Amino acid sequence: MYPSLAIAWVEADVLNLPFEDNQFDAATMGYGLRNVTDIPRCLKELHRVLKIGAKAAILDFHRPTDSTARAFQQWYLGNLVVPIAEQLGLKEEYAYISPSLDRFPTGKKQVEIALKVGFTAATHYPIANGMMGVLVVNKA
């Protein structure tokens, strides 16, 4: 039988996590890295709280490099997502996505930042024709 495990949900600033160094075996982030004010600082803080040998996986939207996929994404966001969100009274919550994608580093740049802040390995996996991607980082 497995021991009872408890999960405690903690709301915190990802740029200043309230945890000791080397506390976690793994970490995930979904659609968050694109929204932080300082991506290198966020990754450095994530590195700090992970144990040696730990991994993290970070999923987010991306601007595709393929021009057809990029055009589709812009059309989809501008003509479907934002208008539907506006009808639901949620325009602000969705209208920022497209401009945020223009500022978000490419997968290659994310890997460079991750390695620069101390991760020993970093790989970016594009998914959905490059409209999303997963950055996987390792701390050794």
Side-chain angles (χ1 to χ4, degrees):
M1 185 160 263
Y2 295 103
S4 176
L5 298 176
I7 296 175
W9 296 101
V10 177
E11 183 175 334
D13 180 355
V14 72
L15 300 179
N16 188 26
L17 293 169
F19 306 111
E20 298 289 325
D21 296 356
N22 306 306
Q23 289 294 302
F24 298 99
D25 296 312
T28 62
M29 180 185 287
Y31 307 106
L33 190 62
R34 184 174 37 87
N35 297 306
V36 300
T37 57
D38 188 337
I39 291 171
R41 184 172 165 196
C42 174
L43 291 175
K44 188 173 183 93
E45 190 66 356
L46 184 60
H47 180 272
R48 180 185 69 77
V49 301
L50 288 172
K51 293 178 181 177
I52 301 297
K55 290 185 179 187
I58 302 165
L59 170 72
D60 219 315
F61 287 118
H62 291 77
R63 276 286 187 225
T65 54
D66 176 74
S67 61
T68 302
R70 186 182 188 99
F72 171 76
Q73 182 188 58
Q74 289 175 310
W75 177 86
Y76 176 78
L77 289 170
N79 294 291
L80 292 177
V81 173
V82 174
I84 291 170
E86 186 172 18
Q87 290 177 351
L88 298 171
L90 300 169
K91 182 178 181 182
E92 288 184 32
E93 288 86 343
Y94 290 86
Y96 85 97
I97 294 173
S98 190
S100 75
L101 292 171
D102 293 330
R103 296 185 300 271
F104 195 48
T106 63
K108 180 180 177 184
K109 182 66 177 171
Q110 290 175 35
V111 167
E112 291 172 11
I113 295 167
L115 295 173
K116 187 174 182 179
V117 302
F119 286 102
T120 52
T123 306
H124 184 268
Y125 299 95
I127 55 176
N129 290 323
M131 288 188 260
M132 290 189 283
V134 178
L135 175 66
V136 178
V137 293
N138 300 55
K139 179 178 177 179

